[in-house]
Amino acid sequence: MQTLNIIGAGRLGKTLGRLWQQKGLFQLKSIFNRSYDSALAAVEFIGAGQAAESLESMAEADCWLISCSDGEIAVIAQRLSDKLTERNDVIAFHCSGALSSQVLEVLRPASIASAHPVHSFAEPLHSLDTLPGSSVALEGDSLAVSALENAFTALGCEILTIEAQHKSLYHAGSVIACNYLTALIDLSLRSFAAAGIERNSALKLLEPIVLQTAQNNMSLGPEKSLTGPIARGDLETVATQVENLASVDPQLALHYRQLGLACVELARRGQLSDESAASLIELLSEPMR
Ligand SMILES: NC(=O)c1ccc[n+]([C@@H]2O[C@H](COP(=O)([O-])OP(=O)(O)OC[C@H]3O[C@@H](n4cnc5c(N)ncnc54)[C@H](OP(=O)(O)O)[C@@H]3O)[C@@H](O)[C@H]2O)c1
């Protein structure tokens, strides 16, 4: 069985470490975190491995997972480079969505890769059950990519291979859908609050329609899922909403108009006439007073 070291066993590292250990895919060796107590807690969660007091004291391993925060990956790679120069069959990888494997370049002749699970590791105990079925975007050297393809497939993940130069755009895609959706819910709650609807009632009201909209998008695609005043070309309704939002919260009105323009662009690919689209664009682009 291949051996695995983890540098930065936080939410993601602990989850993967425990799943791979349980599946008998890797034998856990050393775990190094910023604090020794945190490394001890990770060992306890994973149920295997040994907490290391320093990076230098970590055991040898076939595979190194660098799952500290993104900003620390290059620093750790630099510190690790002296340790990994002797073998050319060692694999080193990180799990950042934004960075490519190039950030591990100093670790050559090790085989380097990045493997980004499209999953929110908010709560490791929960992720143990919910990670299967998630996609993992993989890129890097062939030895590392092939080993990681096996390792993540064994966890029930879907593999998506991408090019290193596309990593940032790929990550922006998931930022827009996931992080911006959260920002949209917040904007929606602000609008409900202005209408005197308190947060819990608003969330209850939103839950079925937001989940249904997400499901429609997944099964029908955005073009066929867009409903509402912009899709219908209802200029009057849009104008009244812009005006009312501007009177209670100008910033909210600005976001409404910016996102409205994206909706017009989408609606044009559906039923919206060129004439209605032009009027909506004019209305939504007007400078704010
Ligand atoms: N969380 C997600 O949903 C998610 C999803 C996909 C990809 N990722 C990627 O996974 C990686 C880890 O994210 P995470 O959410 O698991 O982070 P996290 O929970 O904050 O854990 C980071 C871990 O790294 C350790 N660490 C930080 N700096 C270190 C250093 N200089 N030396 C040694 N250990 C260090 C921390 O140690 P202490 O505990 O001692 O502070 C902590 O255990 C990131 O690259 C992230 O982009 C995360």
Side-chain angles (χ1 to χ4, degrees):
M1 196 193 309
Q2 293 252 299
T3 51
L4 174 72
N5 279 353
I6 303 178
I7 300 174
R11 287 166 293 186
L12 173 139
K14 281 197 292 202
T15 308
L16 293 179
R18 179 151 151 184
L19 287 170
W20 279 328
Q21 173 71 26
Q22 282 174 345
K23 293 263 175 199
L25 230 34
F26 287 112
Q27 181 197 349
L28 258 291
K29 299 290 278 187
S30 298
I31 292 173
F32 173 62
N33 280 3
R34 205 163 18 193
S35 84
Y36 185 64
D37 283 349
S38 164
L40 284 173
V43 167
E44 195 180 332
F45 181 87
I46 294 169
Q50 292 240 303
E53 298 211 41
S54 66
L55 195 137
E56 294 67 29
S57 67
M58 293 180 82
E60 275 212 11
D62 304 309
C63 199
W64 291 71
L65 163 57
I66 303 173
S67 49
C68 51
S69 40
D70 284 12
E72 289 292 306
I73 294 174
V75 182
I76 292 290
Q78 190 63 51
R79 285 179 59 197
L80 194 59
S81 56
D82 286 346
K83 225 175 149 66
L84 296 196
T85 48
E86 279 150 32
R87 285 172 53 184
N88 62 5
D89 58 345
V90 169
I91 289 167
F93 71 105
H94 67 74
C95 292
S96 162
L99 301 172
S100 78
S101 56
Q102 298 306 307
V103 71
L104 303 181
E105 190 79 35
V106 287
L107 294 177
R108 292 191 188 286
S111 183
I112 56 173
S114 74
H116 176 241
V118 189
H119 175 87
S120 174
F121 291 85
E123 172 46 64
L125 270 179
H126 186 56
S127 289
L128 294 173
D129 296 327
T130 52
L131 181 67
S134 308
S135 291
V136 176
L138 264 179
E139 61 78 27
D141 298 343
S142 53
L143 175 75
V145 165
S146 140
L148 292 170
E149 194 167 339
N150 288 340
F152 281 103
T153 302
L155 301 186
C157 295
E158 302 287 329
I159 305 298
L160 167 81
T161 47
I162 57 166
E163 301 289 326
Q165 72 265 29
H166 295 146
K167 197 72 198 281
S168 170
L169 287 174
Y170 147 82
H171 190 235
S174 84
V175 166
I176 291 170
C178 302
N179 303 163
Y180 288 15
L181 175 61
T182 304
L184 287 182
I185 301 287
D186 183 54
L187 294 177
S188 168
L189 291 178
R190 275 162 63 179
S191 185
F192 281 120
I197 300 168
E198 58 94 22
R199 188 185 173 89
N200 284 342
S201 305
L203 284 170
K204 199 169 166 200
L205 176 161
L206 281 176
E207 188 177 347
I209 194 169
V210 168
L211 296 181
Q212 186 61 55
T213 304
Q215 259 170 8
N216 289 346
N217 275 280
M218 297 311 143
S219 56
L220 306 171
E223 290 84 356
K224 289 192 177 146
S225 301
L226 188 70
T227 57
I230 289 181
R232 289 193 295 271
D234 186 350
L235 194 70
E236 211 172 304
T237 301
V238 176
T240 308
Q241 289 181 352
V242 169
E243 203 179 309
N244 286 327
L245 285 171
S247 70
V248 291
D249 186 341
Q251 198 197 21
L252 191 52
L254 183 65
H255 292 310
Y256 177 98
R257 288 164 24 144
Q258 287 165 333
L259 290 159
L261 287 169
C263 284
V264 174
E265 194 189 310
L266 179 58
R268 284 182 94 158
R269 286 187 253 147
Q271 304 288 315
L272 191 67
S273 68
D274 286 349
E275 196 188 346
S276 296
S279 306
L280 282 164
I281 289 170
E282 195 185 334
L283 167 70
L284 294 166
S285 312
E286 260 175 32
M288 294 276 282
R289 266 168 280 134

